[in-house]
Amino acid sequence: MSALLEVDSLSKRYPVTRRGLFRARQYSEIRAVHNVSFRIEAGETLGLVGESGCGKTTTARAILNLVEPSEGVVRFQGRDIVPLFKENDRTKVLQVRRSLQYVFQDPWLSLNPRWTIGETLKEPLRVHRPEAPETWGARVEELLRMVGLEPHHAWRYPHEFSGGQRQRVGIARALAIEPRLLILDEPVSSLDVSVRAQILNLLVELQDRLGLTYLYISHDLSSVRFISTHVAVMYLGKLVEIGQVDALFTRPRHHYTRALLSAIPMPQPGAANTRIVLQGEVPSALRRPSGCPFHPRCAAALPVCAEREPLLTAAAGDDHRMACHNPT
């Protein structure tokens, strides 16, 4: 049985050019995402984690063709959707976008300041359901209540709301056309801790009620553990480990994953926590290291790590994979 979303060997490269006397010439490229593969079953949540700049958002945008992928296959419900965007057939593209929606990181920048909240929530209905405008008002009220807001909020503007309320509006907008999968791009990173917990609880409640599937992108590992069923760890554009959330958090196999998890603050003062401090900086995407991209910062690196790039292979069962020549 195929997964709801399957990503196979997805890559995104950006050319780096140098302007000459008559024209610009490409002299290198940035591999923002390289050979990324994962799958998400219906009703599950995959948490995609890693340091800033590791390629998480680029992966999400390539799935929805907000940036055109350089290579790879994206299957939704068993169908490769990449060619549909290349054909530029509006009808087919809208069919895909009805089922796949995006919740952006910054709710202030993603909402039109000149539109009321009601106008914002009607816009996806106008695009995808133009045949029934008489139903839009009732749907807007339903969406507002669904995310914990009141119907009278439809007449207000984004600047009249707090950050948490604006993110609720962003979630409501994504839910307007009843999608099956939401891509959540750091939806709580700009919020206070208490508001963050409210939004996470709302997302869990909506998933249970509507049968949603999530791709949850974050560098906040505590929220990832709370909301995810599986976790994928990225480093310099590549997946280095992927597995079931409890197994990955209790027994990480990749040294980079161990270092990330060691940085999670302990809730109990004085509790033992051995922090693993990585040496050096993340290498430039323009000058990627040979072999394993993590080996210059890895204390357990072997000579083979600098020579051959490890493949993502089964580590501790069929559901847990890691890319490491010398796993823990």
Side-chain angles (χ1 to χ4, degrees), residues 103 117 121 139-151 153 161 164-176 182 198-199 201-203 205-206 209-210 212 214:
V103 176
I117 299 307
L121 296 182
R139 180 59 175 163
V140 167
E141 291 187 11
E142 180 186 10
L143 289 167
L144 288 171
R145 288 195 174 96
M146 192 180 295
V147 297
L149 298 175
E150 296 297 328
H153 288 144
F161 290 89
Q165 289 174 319
R166 286 196 292 266
Q167 194 58 286
R168 289 174 186 267
V169 173
I171 295 169
R173 179 178 58 183
L175 294 175
L182 290 187
Q198 294 172 15
I199 297 299
N201 286 326
L202 172 64
L203 290 171
E205 177 189 339
L206 290 171
R209 188 197 313 176
L210 304 176
L212 295 169
Y214 293 153

Side-chain angles (χ1 to χ4, degrees), residues 20-38:
L21 182 61
F22 299 105
R23 62 187 178 89
R25 296 184 177 181
Q26 179 178 340
Y27 72 93
S28 185
E29 65 179 11
I30 294 176
R31 293 195 296 179
V33 176
H34 180 60
N35 202 30
V36 166
S37 300
F38 59 81

Side-chain angles (χ1 to χ4, degrees), residues 93-263:
V93 169
L94 287 180
Q95 288 176 351
V96 173
R97 297 213 184 278
R98 287 189 192 103
S99 297
L100 294 168
Q101 285 290 299
Y102 202 105
V103 176
F104 295 91
Q105 176 179 356
D106 192 335
W108 177 250
L109 295 178
S110 64
L111 299 178
N112 190 331
R114 297 189 177 186
W115 284 4
T116 65
I117 299 307
E119 291 172 319
T120 295
L121 296 182
K122 286 179 182 178
E123 181 61 15
L125 301 174
R126 186 178 295 112
V127 172
H128 294 275
R129 295 179 182 173
E131 71 283 352
E134 68 277 1
T135 66
W136 295 350
R139 180 59 175 163
V140 167
E141 291 187 11
E142 180 186 10
L143 289 167
L144 288 171
R145 288 195 174 96
M146 192 180 295
V147 297
L149 298 175
E150 296 297 328
H152 65 82
H153 288 144
W155 302 102
R156 296 186 182 180
Y157 289 86
H159 72 270
E160 300 179 74
F161 290 89
S162 67
Q165 289 174 319
R166 286 196 292 266
Q167 194 58 286
R168 289 174 186 267
V169 173
I171 295 169
R173 179 178 58 183
L175 294 175
I177 51 176
E178 301 178 358
R180 294 203 60 192
L181 185 144
L182 290 187
I183 296 179
L184 307 164
D185 189 359
E186 305 210 34
V188 297
S189 63
S190 60
L191 306 178
D192 294 338
V193 174
S194 59
V195 179
R196 185 178 305 180
Q198 294 172 15
I199 297 299
L200 289 173
N201 286 326
L202 172 64
L203 290 171
V204 171
E205 177 189 339
L206 290 171
Q207 186 174 38
D208 292 340
R209 188 197 313 176
L210 304 176
L212 295 169
T213 303
Y214 293 153
L215 173 59
Y216 180 80
I217 299 169
S218 181
H219 57 263
D220 177 8
L221 294 172
S222 297
S223 69
V224 168
R225 186 168 194 178
F226 174 77
I227 199 172
S228 302
T229 53
H230 291 76
V231 179
V233 182
M234 287 193 78
Y235 182 81
L236 206 62
K238 284 186 63 66
L239 286 186
V240 296
E241 188 166 7
I242 183 169
Q244 196 271 339
V245 59
D246 290 332
L248 188 139
F249 271 77
T250 55
R251 191 169 181 238
R253 302 300 306 276
H254 198 281
H255 299 278
Y256 176 64
T257 307
R258 288 187 63 215
L260 280 182
L261 297 181
S262 74

